């Protein structure tokens, strides 16, 4: 009997081990597939943005490209900082607090509320643009086009974020592919019709995002009219945490994309154009980090919601090491080959981009990748407050360094201020994490 019992125990143990291994492999394959699809999704968006920017850098004069870059930076402020901070960043933590059977109500509630807010903001911009046109300003049409783009881009972003939440990344890829193809066609028509202006370029973005958003109509069966309790509760939780996401993202925007209009004010439109090109060179790295963030965020949120909160520190270190390593390799390649690549794709314009600026931007992006890795678990739990202090420290460093560095070294000085800001953020978050860890 004891021999039979031992044999059964061994079989059970082997079965348990095999089941655990199989489960781990299934999770690995699923995670790998999600990351691969996420990378394809982000590559389509990043590639289309890269191609459009390169085209505009060649067909627009440097001042017009500088104006477009400033308008683009403010559209990012509205969409990626304000609207995404309110509706997207806290979504995984909020969604996993309610039963999945109620998610159809959550989806429609998010679409309606984000559309309402984005339309209101876009309308304000369009009215401001009409006023500028009536006053004889040159930027009025560009402001109007930016106002039209905001609601379309918001709905496309919301659709893709919900695809990530549901684990239906093929839909997100389809949406991004539609956007990419529409942007190619509309930009081609813009050039063929000789409508090569900053406003026409922004209109291309608006039209392409609207076409990509139309895919939502094929999935209306997965939506349900939200009950008032579910709708109010979800929005209340999103907005309560959203103010921290917005504040954190705002400090990041000021220290990166927000420098485009600042450089235009301090140095000139040529500096805005050059900084936009520099950021473009590192856009693929930003998209890779954003993809890994978007894919891992719901998974980590589910794990931490299940009670495994001891994994927060380990997850932060793991993601910081991974994203930092990717950024370091990418930065090294850009420093070695960046100028040659830019010389091949940009002709007829002179941008202030040297090896020193590329190296400094590589350092800033690597530090930002480390910060993002450290922040990921806290975003998953809907508690970004701990990282707000680090971004404030970075903003203080930026404000101290930028005026003097930009006056002395122009664009390279502005990038050096970005390095100082990113370094201060990482140092602060590491120190605060160390102080909070149990001994």
């Amino acid at each position: 009997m004891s021999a039979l019992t031992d044999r059964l125990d061994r079989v059970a143990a082997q079965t348990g081990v095999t089941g655990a291994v199989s489960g781990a492999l299934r999770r690995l394959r699923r995670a790998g597939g999600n990351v691969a699809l996420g990378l394809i999704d982000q590559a389509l968006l990043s590639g289309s943005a890269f191609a459009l920017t390169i085209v505009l850098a060649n067909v627009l004069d440097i001042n017009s490209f500088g104006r477009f870059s400033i308008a683009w930076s403010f559209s990012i402020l509205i969409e990626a900082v304000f609207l995404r901070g309110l509706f997207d960043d806290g979504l995984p933590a909020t969604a996993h607090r309610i039963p999945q059977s109620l998610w159809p109500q959550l989806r429609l509630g998010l679409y309606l509320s984000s559309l309402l807010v984005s339309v209101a903001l876009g309308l304000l911009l369009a009215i401001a643009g009409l006023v500028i046109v009536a006053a004889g300003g040159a930027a009025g049409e560009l402001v109007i086009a930016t106002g039209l783009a905001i609601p379309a881009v918001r709905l496309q972003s919301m659709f893709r974020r919900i695809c990530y939440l549901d684990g239906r990344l093929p839909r997100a890829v389809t949406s991004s592919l539609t956007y990419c193809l529409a942007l190619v066609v509309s930009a081609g028509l813009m050039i063929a019709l000789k409508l090569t202006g900053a406003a026409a370029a922004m209109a291309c973005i608006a039209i392409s995002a609207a076409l990509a958003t139309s895919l939502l109509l094929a999935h209306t069966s997965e939506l349900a009219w939200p009950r008032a309790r579910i709708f109010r509760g979800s929005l209340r939780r999103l907005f309560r945490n959203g103010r921290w996401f917005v504040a954190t993202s705002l400090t990041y925007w000021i220290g990166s994309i927000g420098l485009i209009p600042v450089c235009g004010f301090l140095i000139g439109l040529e500096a805005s154009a050059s900084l936009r090109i520099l950021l473009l060179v590192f856009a693929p790295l930003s998209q890779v980090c954003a993809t890994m963030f978007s894919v891992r965020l719901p998974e980590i949120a589910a794990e931490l919601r299940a009670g495994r909160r001891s994994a927060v520190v380990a997850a932060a270190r793991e993601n910081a090491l991974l994203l930092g390593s990717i950024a370091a390799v990418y930065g090294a390649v850009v420093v070695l080959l960046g100028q040659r690549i830019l010389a091949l794709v940009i002709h007829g314009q002179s941008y202030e981009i040297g090896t020193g600026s590329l190296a400094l931007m590589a350092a800033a992006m690597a530090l930002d990748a480390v910060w993002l890795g450290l922040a990921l678990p806290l975003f998953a739990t809907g508690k970004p407050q701990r990282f707000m202090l680090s971004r404030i420290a970075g903003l203080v460093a930026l404000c101290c360094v930028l005026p003097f560095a930009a006056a002395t070294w122009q664009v390279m000085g502005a990038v050096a201020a970005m390095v100082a800001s990113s370094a201060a953020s990482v140092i602060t978050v590491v120190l605060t994490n160390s102080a909070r860890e149990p001994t």
Side-chain angles (χ1 to χ4, degrees), residues 252-416:
Y252 177 78
W253 178 87
I254 293 173
S256 56
I257 296 173
L259 288 179
I260 292 176
V262 172
C263 283
F265 176 75
L266 294 177
I267 307 173
L269 288 174
E270 296 87 350
S272 295
S274 297
L275 187 57
R276 176 69 184 101
I277 295 295
L278 269 173
L279 290 170
L280 178 70
V281 170
F282 286 88
L285 172 62
S286 299
Q287 294 295 343
V288 168
C289 292
T291 297
M292 302 188 74
F293 187 93
S294 297
V295 170
R296 289 288 292 150
L297 193 59
E299 298 172 1
I300 292 179
E303 291 176 3
L304 298 180
R305 182 62 182 166
R308 294 182 285 272
R309 298 188 180 275
S310 60
V312 172
V313 175
R317 289 173 177 169
E318 175 187 339
N319 286 287
L321 179 61
L322 175 62
L323 296 182
S325 300
I326 293 172
V329 173
Y330 185 92
V333 173
V334 166
V335 171
L336 291 174
L337 303 176
Q339 284 189 300
R340 297 178 185 177
I341 295 174
L342 288 175
L344 290 174
V345 297
I346 297 179
H347 308 281
Q349 303 287 355
S350 177
Y351 294 97
E352 188 183 337
I353 300 173
T355 304
S357 297
L358 291 171
L360 287 171
M361 184 66 79
M365 290 298 179
L367 290 168
D368 278 336
V370 171
W371 183 91
L372 188 64
L374 293 172
L376 199 155
L378 274 298
F379 274 76
T381 55
K383 296 178 180 179
Q385 298 93 324
R386 285 175 52 180
F387 288 87
M388 189 61 198
L389 177 62
S390 67
R391 280 305 182 190
I392 292 175
L395 187 58
V396 171
L398 178 74
C399 293
C400 291
V401 175
L402 179 62
F404 306 102
T408 305
W409 299 298
Q410 303 293 299
V411 173
M412 192 167 74
V415 181

Side-chain angles (χ1 to χ4, degrees), residues 142-284:
L142 177 57
V143 175
I144 294 173
T146 304
L148 296 176
I150 286 172
V153 173
R154 170 86 300 255
L155 277 185
Q156 184 200 12
S157 178
M158 193 79 260
F159 177 73
R160 291 176 57 253
R161 176 64 72 175
I162 289 177
C163 290
Y164 276 84
L165 176 68
D166 294 337
R168 291 167 174 164
L169 272 71
R171 291 185 184 177
V173 172
T174 303
S175 174
S176 297
L177 180 60
T178 302
Y179 175 82
C180 183
L181 294 176
L183 193 61
V184 170
V185 173
S186 57
L189 289 174
M190 177 190 74
I191 296 173
L193 297 174
K194 297 184 178 180
L195 300 173
T196 52
M202 189 63 72
C204 290
I205 294 175
I207 294 169
S208 303
L211 289 174
T213 303
S214 66
L215 296 178
L216 170 63
L217 299 176
H219 306 289
T220 54
S221 61
E222 299 173 1
L223 305 176
W225 193 259
R227 298 176 184 172
R229 180 178 59 84
I230 299 297
F231 184 63
R232 286 197 303 266
S234 298
L235 286 184
R236 189 183 304 115
R237 187 173 292 112
L238 279 173
F239 290 171
R240 184 172 61 244
N241 292 325
R243 67 181 186 271
W244 293 102
F245 291 118
V246 170
T248 302
S249 299
L250 178 60
T251 56
Y252 177 78
W253 178 87
I254 293 173
S256 56
I257 296 173
L259 288 179
I260 292 176
V262 172
C263 283
F265 176 75
L266 294 177
I267 307 173
L269 288 174
E270 296 87 350
S272 295
S274 297
L275 187 57
R276 176 69 184 101
I277 295 295
L278 269 173
L279 290 170
L280 178 70
V281 170
F282 286 88

